[in-house]
Amino acid sequence: MGKRIGMAVVLVIAMASCASVRAPLAPDAYQLDIRDNPAERRFDVVLQSRHDRALCVSSDSWPLSPGTLRAENTGVYLETAAGILPLQGQFVSVYCPGGCGEVRVEPGATLSGFFAYSAFGDADRIAADASRQLHYALAPQACRRSVR
């Protein structure tokens, strides 16, 4: 029994040493621009780093090339005259110990992506709704310093 408790303590310490809490960035450390692009039937998103360190964004929080996310995210939704439209799709539901990866934005650089209208439902209906507004809660953090 004592050996089991000792192993449990070692396991908890090992897990805690891998976890790190990052402080939130100051509001002026980055700028997120969201531009409605009706000609392409999408919302273009651009993250501009204004930080002196590289910024990291969870790869599950940044849109992929088809214009959607790979995992469900309640912080991304479309507000329309008909109501709130959540992001739709065939999301992957996985658990990645330590996270599923990050997208890195070097100091002063930009990261561009987009959310397709179709990621929220019928693209024709969304395009016809002049009141559409994308809500995208993104929380970049300063990347961990790499060990050399």
Side-chain angles (χ1 to χ4, degrees), residues 48 105 107 112 116:
Q48 168 74 47
V105 184
S112 299

Side-chain angles (χ1 to χ4, degrees), residues 58-137:
S58 163
S59 61
D60 291 340
S61 298
W62 192 256
L64 302 171
S65 60
T68 190
L69 300 177
R70 70 176 174 185
E72 188 174 9
N73 185 329
T74 58
V76 181
Y77 60 92
L78 188 61
E79 188 175 345
T80 68
I84 301 297
L85 302 176
L87 194 62
Q88 300 175 1
Q90 295 180 343
F91 301 116
V92 176
S93 180
V94 297
Y95 170 70
C96 305
C100 293
E102 297 177 317
V103 179
R104 188 178 178 97
V105 184
E106 295 301 326
T110 60
L111 178 64
S112 299
F114 68 92
F115 287 99
Y117 286 3
S118 61
F120 300 93
D122 185 312
D124 292 331
R125 238 184 221 164
I126 293 168
D129 185 347
S131 71
R132 65 187 173 271
Q133 183 177 4
L134 177 68
H135 295 265
Y136 180 29

Side-chain angles (χ1 to χ4, degrees), residues 1-60:
M1 174 107 168
K3 193 174 190 176
R4 284 186 184 172
I5 292 174
M7 289 297 287
V9 169
V10 168
L11 181 60
V12 168
I13 291 171
M15 289 172 56
S17 69
C18 292
S20 66
V21 176
R22 298 184 204 177
L25 293 174
D28 63 348
Y30 66 92
Q31 179 176 335
L32 179 65
D33 288 323
I34 300 172
R35 294 189 188 108
D36 190 357
N37 185 342
E40 298 290 328
R41 294 186 175 217
R42 68 187 198 188
F43 294 93
D44 295 320
V45 292
V46 178
L47 175 64
Q48 168 74 47
S49 170
R50 295 182 174 165
H51 202 289
D52 59 351
R53 288 181 50 198
L55 301 181
C56 282
V57 176
S58 163
S59 61
D60 291 340

